[in-house]
Amino acid sequence: MIKFLTQFGRYFLLLKKVFSKPEKPSIYYKQTVRELIFLGVNSIGIIAIISFFMGAVITLQTAYNTENPIYPKYLIGLGCRDSMILEFSSTIAALILAGKVGSSIASEIGTMRVTEQIDALEIMGVNSASFLILPKMIATLLFNPFLTIIAIIVGIFGGWIAGTFSGVLTSENFIYGIQYEFIPYYIVYSLIKTVFFAFIITSVSSFQGYFVEGGSLEVGRASTKAVVYSSVLILLFNVILTQLLLS
Amino acid sequence: MIKVVNLCKSFNGKTVLDNISVTFEPGKTNLIIGRSGSGKTVLLKSIVGLHEIDSGEVWYENTLFNKLDFAGKKKIRSEMGMLFQGSALFDSLTVEQNVRFPLDMFTDNSSEEKIERVNFCLNRVDIKNSNNLFPSELSGGMKKRVAIARAISLNPKYLFCDEPNSGLDPITAILIDALIKELTVEYSMTTIVNTHDMNSVMEIGEKIVFISEGVKCWEGNKNDILNSDCNTLNDFVFANSLAKKLRATK
Ligand SMILES: Nc1ncnc2c1ncn2[C@@H]1O[C@H](COP(=O)(O)OP(=O)(O)O)[C@@H](O)[C@H]1O
Ligand SMILES: [Mg+2]
């Protein structure tokens, strides 16, 4: 318990260091662009592929579970839309990103720690926490909402392809379904969750990497911990945020 | 001048440095020697403030360094250069970008001025035609040289080297040692070098501090070191059989 509290304290002290005033904004800007590409643009592929197949599967499953003619067919499109918007595009995508982005952040920063690159920054008088973590934070907070939008669009497209090509419903039915009683606030809800999750992934993974002690073995452990802890926190905050935002 | 007074440092209750007091002089290569695990790295990192010390004082000229806040430390750090044991070059940057990094971070020089300074420093450490290589493409000796170039890029007043020649062959090791000594004299820096290598001690040791298990046992210069009456030091100095034989004939 005491160990947990000290970790918690160290985490907030680190955040405080991260959010202090940047010394050379132009260099931070360059780093942020680099991270946008590295952490953001490079994640589009995996998010698109997984969203496409999830959309497809959700559509087919909804279809086969509602074969009874009392259900109108357009419900299938509606089901696909709502699952993609409410859960998949934010929560599941965040879990995938925790695996991809979180482990890469933790191992990058952890390697810099054990090879004394962080010490080298500190000795020059650079605020290493801010220099290394802030650009990643800004990059993910800015870019992950785009990933969410991409996930929604590609997922629904996947549903449409699967639905119409398998013949479980017509294209018109599907399109009617995805427009039926559309609540724009759901998208806002999803984007808010995404921003929270992006913060969790980046801060928790950076924390794990920044305080590694030892060698490559510990870096590996830190990156596993980064994924596990951020995933658990994402699931926890998913419940909390849903209660706050939808009730 | 750097002065350390009654410095103590422990990790989780285990004392690593016990009441160390020593003065390091400007324009000289000051050596901290001792066996592996004796606390050299911890001492060096405590002096530069990478480790928070438990008690004691670290003075840079007339400034009490260990009590400064981040901004105050930053000012003195702009006058420090450090060479880490594993070189600690930034993996994601090329040789040129590595040496340029402190210039980008702390000067408002034009791009041409920076490039000129980078090339000057790289030349000074004998690295040529490698500006666009990444650290992973360099040999151990080259990495050390590039790290030295990065450390001197802002004309530091203080230079710290942690085992500058560990992992190098004897000839390259002596070249790196000689380079550090030359630079020290050239820029009248206060240089502190950690080493466990007796070759370095005899080549570049002007002021030598010997620590054993976190305690300062002996201090002097390379002429005295062969005639000390400190037993732990003699065990260290005359560790190999060649040295033992020479001593017996003396
Ligand atoms: N971060 C740390 N946490 C705990 N113990 C440490 C740490 N750094 C060094 N030590 C301990 O301090 C002692 C001295 O280490 P060090 O200064 O690295 O020796 P060396 O003289 O070889 O450089 C060793 O016993 C080491 O285990
Ligand atoms: Mg050491």
Side-chain angles (χ1 to χ4, degrees):
Chain A
M1 187 65 199
I2 289 180
K3 211 176 138 208
F4 173 77
L5 285 178
T6 35
Q7 288 291 81
F8 207 60
R10 289 218 293 180
Y11 172 75
F12 281 103
L13 285 178
L14 180 67
L15 286 184
K16 195 173 149 232
K17 245 180 110 186
V18 169
F19 289 106
S20 54
K21 194 171 159 284
E23 22 224 298
K24 255 283 162 89
S26 60
I27 296 192
Y28 275 66
Y29 174 77
K30 250 198 245 161
Q31 289 290 106
T32 306
V33 172
R34 178 180 161 249
E35 302 295 354
L36 272 174
I37 294 168
F38 193 64
L39 301 176
V41 176
N42 288 354
S43 302
I44 292 178
I46 187 162
I47 291 293
I49 291 173
I50 296 177
S51 307
F52 182 89
F53 285 104
M54 284 303 280
V57 162
I58 288 169
T59 303
L60 294 180
Q61 282 179 354
T62 318
Y64 296 132
N65 284 313
T66 56
E67 276 185 324
N68 193 323
I70 59 164
Y71 298 116
K73 286 287 180 204
Y74 68 80
L75 278 186
I76 298 168
L78 184 142
C80 170
R81 178 198 78 197
D82 281 354
S83 321
M84 288 313 296
I85 295 180
L86 289 173
E87 263 328 285
F88 183 82
S89 66
S90 50
T91 314
I92 310 289
L95 291 174
I96 292 159
L97 290 176
K100 181 180 181 290
V101 171
S103 63
S104 107
I105 290 178
S107 55
E108 182 190 332
I109 296 184
T111 303
M112 292 190 74
R113 165 63 74 195
V114 301
T115 57
E116 299 181 308
Q117 293 175 53
I118 292 185
D119 286 342
L121 285 171
E122 287 286 326
I123 201 78
M124 291 173 191
V126 177
N127 176 347
S128 60
S130 168
F131 179 76
L132 294 175
I133 301 172
L134 191 58
K136 295 187 188 348
M137 197 76 96
I138 296 173
T140 48
L141 290 179
L142 284 180
F143 204 84
N144 285 18
F146 282 105
L147 292 175
T148 299
I149 304 277
I150 291 171
I152 294 173
I153 295 172
V154 176
I156 292 176
F157 177 68
W160 177 75
I161 297 262
T164 49
F165 277 67
S166 66
V168 293
L169 83 172
T170 61
S171 176
E172 290 74 36
N173 267 336
F174 189 87
I175 289 170
Y176 180 75
I178 61 175
Q179 293 170 336
Y180 184 79
E181 285 194 356
F182 174 61
I183 304 174
Y185 178 69
Y186 281 0
I187 295 201
V188 176
Y189 157 80
S190 185
L191 291 177
I192 293 176
K193 286 206 300 182
T194 298
V195 170
F196 266 85
F197 296 160
F199 183 82
I200 290 173
I201 294 169
T202 313
S203 62
V204 170
S205 309
S206 301
F207 174 73
Q208 292 299 338
Y210 195 80
F211 289 109
V212 172
E213 271 175 33
S216 44
L217 201 62
E218 282 77 11
V219 173
R221 274 200 204 116
S223 100
T224 309
K225 272 198 219 160
V227 177
V228 173
Y229 291 169
S230 26
S231 304
V232 171
L233 283 172
I234 285 168
L235 294 171
L236 179 67
F237 274 83
N238 189 31
V239 177
I240 297 173
L241 289 170
T242 303
Q243 179 61 24
L244 288 177
L245 294 168
L246 290 189
S247 68
Chain B
M1 188 197 66
I2 298 172
K3 199 165 87 185
V4 175
V5 186
N6 298 335
L7 187 152
C8 297
K9 170 75 188 162
S10 58
F11 290 106
N12 313 318
K14 179 176 155 257
T15 304
V16 174
L17 295 176
D18 192 3
N19 212 24
I20 302 232
S21 297
V22 57
T23 304
F24 300 103
E25 293 158 32
K28 283 192 181 172
T29 34
N30 301 274
L31 299 191
I32 300 171
I33 63 172
R35 294 179 57 179
S36 200
S38 56
K40 301 182 297 291
T41 301
V42 175
L43 177 56
L44 201 64
K45 289 192 175 176
S46 300
I47 293 173
V48 300
L50 288 172
H51 286 317
E52 199 75 42
I53 61 178
D54 300 344
S55 65
E57 297 168 354
V58 178
W59 294 85
Y60 283 74
E61 316 303 334
N62 297 318
T63 312
L64 182 56
F65 179 73
N66 58 310
K67 286 282 186 291
L68 296 174
D69 59 359
F70 184 79
K73 284 200 172 121
K74 191 173 156 183
K75 210 166 145 214
I76 295 196
R77 282 187 172 161
S78 65
E79 304 187 311
M80 290 182 188
M82 184 154 178
L83 172 60
F84 289 87
Q85 188 161 1
S87 298
L89 296 174
F90 303 126
D91 294 325
S92 56
L93 304 180
T94 61
V95 166
E96 179 177 303
Q97 289 165 335
N98 261 285
V99 181
R100 193 182 152 138
F101 184 86
L103 300 169
D104 282 336
M105 214 63 195
F106 297 108
T107 71
D108 294 315
N109 295 351
S110 71
S111 209
E112 293 80 48
E113 285 172 310
K114 285 181 199 159
I115 301 275
E116 195 184 329
R117 178 71 191 158
V118 167
N119 286 331
F120 173 84
C121 293
L122 286 173
N123 247 328
R124 187 64 196 77
V125 298
D126 254 328
I127 296 281
K128 296 192 180 84
N129 309 322
S130 308
N131 285 27
N132 296 321
L133 296 181
F134 283 92
S136 56
E137 300 168 307
L138 304 177
S139 69
M142 283 170 86
K143 276 187 202 163
K144 299 268 177 181
R145 285 169 194 277
V146 175
I148 293 176
R150 184 178 68 183
I152 62 169
S153 67
L154 286 175
N155 257 323
K157 221 165 129 182
Y158 311 102
L159 182 64
F160 304 92
C161 307
D162 194 4
E163 313 257 0
N165 48 23
S166 68
L168 302 180
D169 65 88
I171 296 181
T172 312
I174 287 180
L175 286 175
I176 295 279
D177 281 342
L179 178 62
I180 290 170
K181 182 165 182 179
E182 277 168 41
L183 291 169
T184 301
V185 175
E186 213 169 301
Y187 302 113
S188 21
M189 294 185 287
T190 306
T191 299
I192 306 181
V193 178
N194 270 357
T195 184
H196 59 245
D197 179 9
M198 273 315 287
N199 287 331
S200 309
V201 173
M202 298 319 283
E203 290 287 330
I204 61 168
E206 289 177 281
K207 156 134 192 178
I208 301 165
V209 182
F210 174 68
I211 58 174
S212 169
E213 293 175 11
V215 180
K216 183 174 99 175
C217 295
W218 184 87
E219 140 171 32
N221 61 35
K222 68 179 170 193
N223 303 321
D224 312 333
I225 200 168
L226 300 178
N227 310 312
S228 87
D229 43 19
C230 168
N231 286 330
T232 38
L233 176 60
N234 286 335
D235 289 345
F236 177 81
V237 172
F238 302 102
N240 66 40
S241 45
L242 177 65
K244 280 195 192 108
K245 263 186 214 145
L246 285 174
R247 191 182 190 205
T249 60
K250 226 173 159 184

